[in-house]
Amino acid sequence: MTQIKPDKIIFYSGVDTYLNFQTYTGDIVISGTVANGASESFETVISVPQSNTRADVYLQNLNTGIKRPIENGLRLAPYQNVSTEVCRAFALFGSGNQVTVFLSITNNTGATITLTNQTIRATIVAYVIPL
Amino acid sequence: MSVSSNAKDLMFFSGFTVDKIVRVYTGSYKIPTNTITRDYGFLGTQELFRIPHDLGRPVATDLQWSIDNVNWREGGVYDNTLFTMGTFSDKDYIYIIAPYVSSSASTFYYRVYCRWIDDFDNTNPSITAISYNSQPIQFDSRKNFQKAYEMGVINFTAGTGGATQTVSVPHTLGYAPNAKVWVESFKDEVWLLNGGGLSNLFNVSLNQDEYELTITNSDISVKIFKYSNQARRAWYRIYYDAD
């Protein structure tokens, strides 16, 4: 078996890199009201016409410019709060080469809130991987 | 025009660092048949699926998971109706952690991707190169690669009680780039970001620190919420956009 020291190499074909890096985007438009004790969900469906793909998912608030990845419990979307409502995000990689990105806003503030109009852009960074 | 200022139009250039995927693990497991239970003290126990590795030190892991082997979710993301799954590594194992488990799903499918962390320590170890019989092409110069603008390490001082410290890394890209950060949530364990505030399912121990990443047109900032009273590290990667 070939031994390598990956600390000191730039590229070696025995150490994979992600191939065919492509990005795809979709927008989630947030508006409306959320009653106290209720949740509202918003989503965008993004076609990712690649097979054998893994992806990183990022969310950017186009109103504020702030961007965050979705991963490993980092569920805080770059959502602009009205009060103390909680915004969570997740992405579902479906069987039809589609990625659905969801935002869920839960209101436990004690009163109905009117959401600030804002657009969250989801970016899918898709790679081909050697499974 | 120099190649270094024209990254978006280059398929591959050895002057740019790229991610080094040193292992990919796929498979399935059942809870509790294939898992171990780790006691995190005050906050309770967690079920962990362990994959032994031969890399000699922690690596930066990414996870995709599924309960039907058809629909896949990005590692750990919150799902109102299902589960959350996370991943981390130490020098011996890759771990998949499932804090909340429904009895309705007995088999979990996983794909774990392991990126090398250059200069994690001073050991510069040798590892066995990988090869895939089913995917013999490991490099295709016609394909674009996610090229790193900058990789580095952030050092945080010790603290307790939820005290915060934010470290910013400036960049001159002119747009909010893609960026990833792995963190030392526990000593000698490398986790994906585990921020999430009070509803954070990955806050499994009072000895664990939490992290958040914010990306803007001018910098990335990593915010730590300190509980462990240990000095911690975070490893960041800022990427050029391809478009």
Side-chain angles (χ1 to χ4, degrees):
Chain A
M1 303 294 281
T2 303
Q3 296 288 307
I4 58 172
K5 288 181 175 293
D7 265 3
K8 306 302 179 189
I9 63 173
I10 298 294
F11 174 80
Y12 175 69
S13 63
V15 178
D16 283 305
T17 55
Y18 290 140
L19 297 175
N20 199 17
F21 154 48
Q22 295 285 325
T23 60
Y24 308 90
T25 61
D27 289 345
I28 302 171
V29 178
I30 295 175
S31 64
T33 61
V34 184
N36 182 48
S39 294
E40 289 289 336
S41 291
F42 303 87
E43 68 179 56
T44 183
V45 179
I46 302 170
S47 178
V48 180
Q50 293 181 203
S51 60
N52 201 20
T53 295
R54 82 157 302 276
D56 294 326
V57 183
Y58 295 89
L59 298 176
Q60 183 175 23
N61 188 319
L62 298 185
N63 297 61
T64 64
I66 290 176
K67 185 176 181 179
R68 281 179 162 160
I70 297 179
E71 56 190 15
N72 218 46
L74 188 78
R75 304 180 309 280
L76 298 178
Y79 165 78
Q80 195 170 17
N81 276 62
V82 177
S83 180
T84 56
E85 76 276 17
V86 175
C87 181
R88 300 185 174 100
F90 67 97
L92 174 65
F93 298 77
S95 57
N97 288 337
Q98 289 186 327
V99 179
T100 305
V101 180
F102 298 87
L103 286 181
S104 169
I105 298 171
T106 302
N107 175 20
N108 285 312
T109 63
T112 297
I113 56 172
T114 300
L115 303 176
T116 301
N117 293 342
Q118 53 197 295
T119 301
I120 308 290
R121 173 156 297 168
T123 298
I124 309 296
V125 182
Y127 318 91
V128 172
I129 46 148
L131 286 176
Chain B
M1 179 181 290
S2 68
V3 291
S4 62
S5 62
N6 201 29
K8 292 181 179 178
D9 298 325
L10 291 170
M11 292 297 190
F12 179 79
F13 173 53
S14 61
F16 292 120
T17 302
V18 293
D19 288 316
K20 303 165 189 173
I21 311 300
V22 291
R23 294 289 184 272
V24 177
Y25 297 101
T26 63
S28 65
Y29 64 91
K30 293 184 177 183
I31 298 174
T33 308
N34 306 118
T35 56
I36 64 167
T37 301
R38 179 174 288 182
D39 187 353
Y40 282 101
F42 178 78
L43 296 179
T45 60
Q46 301 292 340
E47 293 297 315
L48 302 178
F49 176 67
R50 298 190 302 180
I51 306 167
H53 69 75
D54 61 349
L55 300 169
R57 66 191 199 193
V59 287
T61 54
D62 273 311
L63 170 70
Q64 283 187 310
W65 62 276
S66 174
I67 58 173
D68 57 12
N69 209 17
V70 176
N71 295 291
W72 291 81
R73 287 165 171 77
E74 184 72 359
V77 295
Y78 182 85
D79 184 323
N80 279 324
T81 58
L82 286 170
F83 320 95
T84 57
M85 305 276 281
T87 180
F88 63 93
S89 70
D90 63 20
K91 66 181 180 59
D92 298 313
Y93 294 97
I94 309 299
Y95 297 86
I96 299 174
I97 181 172
Y100 290 170
V101 175
S102 164
S103 59
S104 63
S106 58
T107 301
F108 293 86
Y109 300 87
Y110 63 87
R111 301 166 177 166
V112 180
Y113 313 98
C114 304
R115 305 180 197 208
W116 191 252
I117 301 173
D118 285 352
D119 301 318
F120 176 83
D121 53 27
N122 296 321
T123 58
N124 188 23
S126 293
I127 66 167
T128 300
I130 52 175
S131 180
Y132 297 94
N133 293 329
S134 60
Q135 298 284 343
I137 296 177
Q138 298 195 14
F139 175 76
D140 185 342
S141 62
R142 298 168 300 177
K143 307 296 186 184
N144 208 340
F145 288 77
Q146 184 161 251
K147 297 172 280 287
Y149 167 80
E150 185 175 321
M151 296 183 178
V153 60
I154 295 170
N155 291 287
F156 294 100
T157 58
T160 60
T164 63
Q165 179 185 354
T166 301
V167 175
S168 295
V169 179
H171 66 76
T172 58
L173 291 168
Y175 53 84
N178 299 328
K180 292 179 74 73
V181 175
W182 285 267
V183 298
E184 197 173 30
S185 196
F186 292 95
K187 183 170 176 54
D188 297 326
E189 292 184 359
V190 175
W191 288 56
L192 266 172
L193 287 165
N194 67 326
L198 295 175
S199 58
N200 178 21
L201 302 178
F202 289 91
N203 185 10
V204 298
S205 168
L206 294 178
N207 294 317
Q208 181 182 26
D209 298 299
E210 295 184 60
Y211 301 80
E212 290 179 6
L213 168 64
T214 301
I215 305 166
T216 72
N217 286 345
S218 58
D219 65 16
I220 70 166
S221 59
V222 182
K223 183 178 184 180
I224 181 175
F225 297 79
K226 301 176 181 180
Y227 298 98
S228 69
N229 204 22
Q230 298 287 320
R232 298 298 200 201
R233 294 176 291 173
W235 297 270
Y236 65 89
R237 300 178 182 205
I238 304 171
Y239 297 103
Y240 288 101
D241 279 0
D243 299 329

